[in-house]
Amino acid sequence: MIKLIIINGPNLNLLGIRETEIYGHKSFDSYFENLSFKFPDSKLEFYQSNSEGKLIDKLHEVGFSYDGIILNAAAYTHTSLAIADAVKAIKTPVIEVHISNIFKREDLRHISLIAPYCSGNISGFGLKSYELAIRSFL
Ligand code: DQA
């Protein structure tokens, strides 16, 4: 059974409440429940942290044994060389995901420090971005 993990970065615990015009009205927990039903043949896990160090620890923990990582590093995408280095250091392929289309937004969101080390990028399909990433691993 293929083992995948979704890792969400800062402020994504507020999905459904935060800037709903950009990120929608659904909480990630209810979306994730749905996802697990949709992909019964894969072992799907979910982790969220607002802390850069904890995200790096999680990448190290799963990055040598899991089959795929779906990473929405949120604002750290644009700022964190440390998360970029972690993605580069691990063996498990990482797909970068964004709910919003980061290229339609402010210029500073057009830069992703982690993109060069990811096997692919999906941005702008709402929560469906995660599902597309999972499908690409299957
Ligand atoms: C985001 C886009 C980032 O620019 C932003 O900081 C986020 C969420 C997205 O999923 O669209 O927190 O990663």
Side-chain angles (χ1 to χ4, degrees):
M1 191 182 259
I2 188 166
K3 210 169 166 186
L4 305 175
I5 184 166
I6 294 172
I7 300 180
N8 272 345
N11 302 305
L12 293 172
N13 54 311
L14 296 182
L15 281 176
I17 301 166
R18 163 198 187 203
E19 298 176 272
T20 50
E21 65 292 353
I22 300 175
Y23 300 112
H25 292 273
K26 215 180 198 144
S27 76
F28 198 82
D29 281 348
S30 65
Y31 176 69
F32 184 73
E33 208 179 302
N34 222 29
L35 267 188
S36 305
F37 283 121
K38 256 191 184 161
F39 300 102
D41 297 330
S42 57
K43 189 174 178 302
L44 208 54
E45 286 176 28
F46 164 56
Y47 178 79
Q48 191 275 332
S49 178
N50 293 320
S51 141
E52 190 176 19
K54 285 188 178 162
L55 293 166
I56 293 167
D57 287 342
K58 187 48 102 176
L59 287 165
H60 292 176
E61 183 190 319
V62 300
F64 297 90
S65 54
Y66 282 48
D67 299 302
I69 297 169
I70 294 135
L71 175 64
N72 186 347
Y76 286 138
T77 305
H78 320 297
T79 62
S80 177
L81 193 53
I83 291 180
D85 281 350
V87 171
K88 192 179 181 192
I90 61 179
K91 293 272 179 270
T92 299
V94 176
I95 295 186
E96 176 183 353
V97 156
H98 299 285
I99 298 163
S100 63
N101 181 349
I102 55 173
F103 299 103
K104 267 190 172 172
R105 300 181 65 190
E106 309 96 295
D107 286 354
L108 52 83
R109 292 185 205 273
H110 299 179
I111 295 161
S112 168
L113 300 184
I114 65 171
Y117 312 115
C118 290
S119 49
N121 298 271
I122 299 170
S123 165
F125 294 94
L127 287 173
K128 202 160 189 190
S129 294
Y130 293 93
E131 189 177 326
L132 295 171
I134 293 167
R135 284 190 194 284
S136 78
F137 277 121
L138 297 179

